[in-house]
Amino acid sequence: MRIAIDAHGGDHAPDAVMEGIGLAREKWPDLKIVLIGTREIAEKFVLSDVEFHAVTEIIEPDDKPAIAVRRKKDSSMVVGCKMVRKGEADAFISGGNTGSLMAAGFFHVGRMKGVDRPALAPVFPTLTGKGILVLDVGANPEAKPGHLHQYATMGSIYAEKVLGFESPRVGLLNIGTEAGKGTDLTKEAFSMLEEDHSLRFVGNIEARDILEGPCEVLVCDGFSGNILLKNTEGVAKAIFSRFKQELTASLFTKLAAAILKPRLKKFAQELDYKEHGGAPLLGLRGPVIKAHGSSDAKAFFNAIRQARRFLEKEVISQIEEELSR
Amino acid sequence: MRIAIDAHGGDHAPDAVMEGIGLAREKWPDLKIVLIGTREIAEKFVLSDVEFHAVTEIIEPDDKPAIAVRRKKDSSMVVGCKMVRKGEADAFISGGNTGSLMAAGFFHVGRMKGVDRPALAPVFPTLTGKGILVLDVGANPEAKPGHLHQYATMGSIYAEKVLGFESPRVGLLNIGTEAGKGTDLTKEAFSMLEEDHSLRFVGNIEARDILEGPCEVLVCDGFSGNILLKNTEGVAKAIFSRFKQELTASLFTKLAAAILKPRLKKFAQELDYKEHGGAPLLGLRGPVIKAHGSSDAKAFFNAIRQARRFLEKEVISQIEEELSR
């Protein structure tokens, strides 16, 4: 098993990437890692047993994705995706710009057989601690009912094989719980999901119930999913930062804060996306995993573990098989 | 000025409705109120100077809106809307089922001149304390670019006249900040908003930034707006309930909780929708205001104040004038 990793992706790269690789090498000594980065990286970091592939370009966060992945042919993202396409790597992990990684995946890895549109599928934290796989959160803003049906199939297999949910329940993000609610898209998708008995479809799910964990896989168009993802992040961040403000307002509140600190820290961690590893781009010919932009060493380690399971459980051939039925 | 109020709408009706009317009568002795409810209400509550209109039916929360507002012709919601249509009341307020109130408004009040689709427009709380008017949150799940343009005009006028925002900034909910992001809908709407110089358009707004208050009016299709509304409610509720759990976990944390209680309560209130009054259905021939389902007396009082301003500032004729330009 050979996993390619982008040395340049994420706010804490390359240090967090290196440390994450170090942790993974300790845990799985048989694992082969190919680190992709510029010469400066190779000069700065020497990791024994880690193969290095030098590139001359970097895709920057504010590059236009579609243009960047066409022009910057010797960037870490494009090279990583091409390695997967050519079989030189079994999977690719990057904490870089999401739009660019999706574009690089589409152009340079390509879709798997039977998939119309790949989907970005992060795990949302839930109060149950188990999390919920949401797809798509932005790879395909304008989805068709058939795409949502494919997301349900891909998501169910991934949730079972990689996340370990037995017989995962599938929900459809909608603006009411009754059948017949929502737009033409959700109405048609509802019928398709209901008719597919290979899925454990539990119906429409409203946005207010997600954190309670009403299902293990939630399907939606990429526009709504992206709104959901960013709104959840924004609301949680705003509430926590405001709490922090209240906790440090006076000597008394600082005392209270000292008592509560370990509990609040644990809770904040539970709501943290990094704990759940990266988000796979489901529907490509090979595993491509987007690590969160703020990933630390542990998050990169988790993304590597995720890529390993993805490969061990043969998720791609399972999805292809299911979609061909 | 004559305002009709539904005695049956909301979790705390009819008591909260009655108390809210009482507060409003104290504040504005000239205000005429028509309370609409069943005979049981009239027998139970006697409010001096409040006209009572008896009805024989109630639209229940789980009634199918489109069917209920056609069949239950003598329900408080249908009668209230018809009063507005016929000029027997200047405005109607209800805390009842949102879907049914929207349907009653469409069928029995009707659209104002120049408006294709009315929009439900609640104020979202923000960390700045000022709030942000979001429209539409579900009256029209499948919007067209022209609808979003009309929402921007209606929202700007309402935000200025009723909410008191001077020269309100208008944002477009999208999945990236750059022009050209999103779906065909958001791309076309972006161009229309940019070209209309009567608006103070500030571009695309991402869901993660809403609580920071990046604009005063945010336009979106009803599906996305509904997801946004319910997700914000759900995430905030989940975090607060979890905090509560942590605060009561031990004797020490209870001590800490006692210190923090007034601050946390104040913060929770700031994030509470009820504080901002009800959500108007903008685009109807007369003001129809949806009070939050969990409205208490103060929330009903706020909704009455809102209806008063709506009428005093002649919001409807201002919108009609602007749309006819």
Side-chain angles (χ1 to χ4, degrees), chain B residues 210-279:
Chain B
I210 295 170
L211 274 164
E212 311 282 344
C215 56
E216 285 74 40
V217 177
L218 183 69
V219 297
C220 56
D221 68 276
F223 188 85
S224 309
N226 195 275
I227 299 282
L228 197 69
L229 177 77
K230 289 177 180 160
N231 189 58
T232 301
E233 282 185 350
V235 173
K237 196 181 147 203
I239 294 181
F240 273 98
S241 86
R242 181 57 196 278
F243 264 112
K244 216 169 172 176
Q245 212 178 305
E246 298 295 351
L247 290 173
T248 55
S250 78
L251 200 63
F252 284 116
T253 63
K254 279 180 191 161
L255 176 72
I259 295 170
L260 293 170
K261 202 176 171 189
R263 289 175 180 276
L264 296 185
K265 203 173 163 188
K266 188 168 160 278
F267 175 37
Q269 263 171 4
E270 282 171 26
L271 283 186
D272 194 340
Y273 288 77
K274 292 198 296 289
E275 299 293 314
H276 291 280

Side-chain angles (χ1 to χ4, degrees), chain B residues 181-207:
Chain B
K181 274 279 174 180
T183 59
D184 289 346
L185 172 66
T186 59
K187 286 173 202 168
E188 284 176 46
F190 188 100
S191 304
M192 291 176 91
L193 295 171
E194 205 176 26
E195 281 161 24
D196 183 345
H197 298 295
S198 72
L199 299 167
R200 192 172 157 205
F201 181 54
V202 294
N204 291 324
I205 302 291
E206 287 198 277

Side-chain angles (χ1 to χ4, degrees), chain B residues 36-307:
Chain B
I36 308 172
T38 57
R39 290 244 165 264
E40 293 78 57
I41 299 279
E43 283 158 17
K44 215 169 137 192
F45 297 90
V46 182
L47 285 172
S48 59
D49 299 326
V50 171
E51 192 185 321
F52 189 81
H53 186 106
V55 292
T56 55
E57 292 173 297
I58 296 172
I59 292 181
E60 305 289 350
D62 51 355
D63 276 345
K64 289 210 178 274
I67 298 168
V69 303
R70 283 203 161 102
R71 291 202 186 145
K72 293 187 169 177
K73 291 201 167 65
D74 198 36
S75 61
S76 49
M77 268 192 205
V78 171
V79 168
C81 286
K82 280 186 172 170
M83 277 185 176
V84 172
R85 172 74 173 244
K86 286 188 257 172
E88 293 166 14
D90 297 307
F92 177 55
I93 296 166
S94 174
N97 179 272
T98 309
S100 294
L101 185 61
M102 293 191 300
F106 299 162
F107 290 129
H108 300 298
V109 177
R111 288 172 293 146
M112 68 169 79
K113 223 170 64 191
V115 169
D116 294 319
R117 297 292 173 97
L120 187 64
V123 173
F124 277 43
T126 58
L127 292 177
T128 60
K130 295 193 304 172
I132 174 170
L133 187 77
V134 181
L135 68 171
D136 166 46
V137 301
N140 177 26
E142 219 134 7
K144 298 203 165 73
H147 301 160
L148 267 55
H149 185 203
Q150 291 183 351
Y151 298 167
T153 300
M154 296 195 291
S156 294
I157 292 170
Y158 179 84
E160 184 165 339
K161 304 293 174 190
V162 179
L163 304 177
F165 290 120
E166 208 176 309
S167 180
R169 292 167 298 172
V170 175
L172 173 66
L173 180 66
N174 210 334
I175 61 174
T177 52
E178 311 87 333
K181 274 279 174 180
T183 59
D184 289 346
L185 172 66
T186 59
K187 286 173 202 168
E188 284 176 46
F190 188 100
S191 304
M192 291 176 91
L193 295 171
E194 205 176 26
E195 281 161 24
D196 183 345
H197 298 295
S198 72
L199 299 167
R200 192 172 157 205
F201 181 54
V202 294
N204 291 324
I205 302 291
E206 287 198 277
R208 67 158 67 89
D209 300 322
I210 295 170
L211 274 164
E212 311 282 344
C215 56
E216 285 74 40
V217 177
L218 183 69
V219 297
C220 56
D221 68 276
F223 188 85
S224 309
N226 195 275
I227 299 282
L228 197 69
L229 177 77
K230 289 177 180 160
N231 189 58
T232 301
E233 282 185 350
V235 173
K237 196 181 147 203
I239 294 181
F240 273 98
S241 86
R242 181 57 196 278
F243 264 112
K244 216 169 172 176
Q245 212 178 305
E246 298 295 351
L247 290 173
T248 55
S250 78
L251 200 63
F252 284 116
T253 63
K254 279 180 191 161
L255 176 72
I259 295 170
L260 293 170
K261 202 176 171 189
R263 289 175 180 276
L264 296 185
K265 203 173 163 188
K266 188 168 160 278
F267 175 37
Q269 263 171 4
E270 282 171 26
L271 283 186
D272 194 340
Y273 288 77
K274 292 198 296 289
E275 299 293 314
H276 291 280
L281 252 170
L282 288 177
L284 298 182
R285 287 173 189 215
V288 171
I289 290 171
K290 164 72 181 93
H292 201 280
S294 62
S295 289
D296 55 14
K298 199 182 156 198
F300 279 109
F301 168 80
N302 281 336
I304 293 169
R305 184 175 57 191
Q306 199 176 351

